[in-house]
């Protein structure tokens, strides 16, 4: 059974950091592109970052460029999203998703598997 489990969310002050983890089971994540998405209250889910399964290429939405770093540990079947210099507008539920292909995409419908989400709240 394919499963993605996010962890690492929480409450952080503006300017702080969090590292989200996405642990995969039921499949080998190094054959899947893994994306991070987020959904703020009243807004549509949007792509944040993605890491390919072929050469480890990484992609970032403008919202996270220079502040977020995505990485993967294939031995642990886990993908991470390091978020620095967090802003109140980063507050959202963060989801990881997997698609059985090497290429990245920010298209929601291109992902077959989704985690349950992890709440990130940036507030003083």
């Amino acid at each position: 059974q394919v499963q993605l489990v996010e962890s690492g969310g929480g409450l952080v002050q503006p300017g702080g950091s969090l590292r989200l983890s996405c642990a995969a089971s039921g499949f080998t994540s190094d054959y899947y592109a893994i994306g991070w998405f987020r959904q703020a209250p009243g807004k549509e889910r949007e792509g944040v970052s993605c890491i390919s399964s072929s050469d480890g290429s990484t992609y970032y939405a403008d919202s996270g460029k220079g502040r977020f770093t995505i990485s993967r540990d294939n031995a642990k079947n886990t993908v991470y999203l390091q978020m620095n210099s967090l802003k109140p507008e980063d507050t959202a539920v963060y989801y990881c998703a997997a698609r059985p292909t090497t290429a990245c995409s920010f298209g929601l419908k291109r992902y077959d598997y989704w985690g349950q989400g992890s709440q990130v709240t940036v507030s003083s």
Side-chain angles (χ1 to χ4, degrees):
Q1 182 180 357
V2 174
Q3 192 173 17
L4 297 171
V5 179
E6 302 97 335
S7 61
L11 173 64
V12 64
Q13 292 186 342
S17 298
L18 282 174
R19 188 178 79 157
L20 302 181
S21 299
C22 173
S25 60
F27 68 100
T28 304
S29 65
D30 51 338
Y31 294 109
Y32 285 68
I34 304 293
W36 281 99
F37 297 79
R38 69 185 184 185
Q39 188 166 17
K43 294 188 177 181
E44 294 185 351
R45 194 171 299 188
E46 62 178 5
V48 174
S49 183
C50 182
I51 186 164
S52 74
S53 61
S54 55
D55 58 3
S57 296
T58 57
Y59 302 86
Y60 300 93
D62 289 342
S63 58
K65 284 181 181 177
R67 300 187 299 126
F68 295 176
T69 303
I70 190 171
S71 61
R72 67 194 305 159
D73 184 337
N74 290 337
K76 295 183 178 179
N77 229 20
T78 299
V79 172
Y80 305 97
L81 184 68
Q82 177 68 43
M83 304 186 295
N84 299 327
S85 302
L86 282 163
K87 307 173 183 179
E89 51 263 43
D90 293 318
T91 295
V93 178
Y94 284 71
Y95 300 88
C96 65
R99 60 190 302 247
T101 182
T102 57
C104 272
S105 171
F106 283 153
L108 302 181
K109 295 182 178 180
R110 295 181 181 272
Y111 287 81
D112 293 342
Y113 307 107
W114 291 83
Q116 83 289 349
S118 182
Q119 176 70 48
V120 171
T121 302
V122 185
S123 175
S124 56

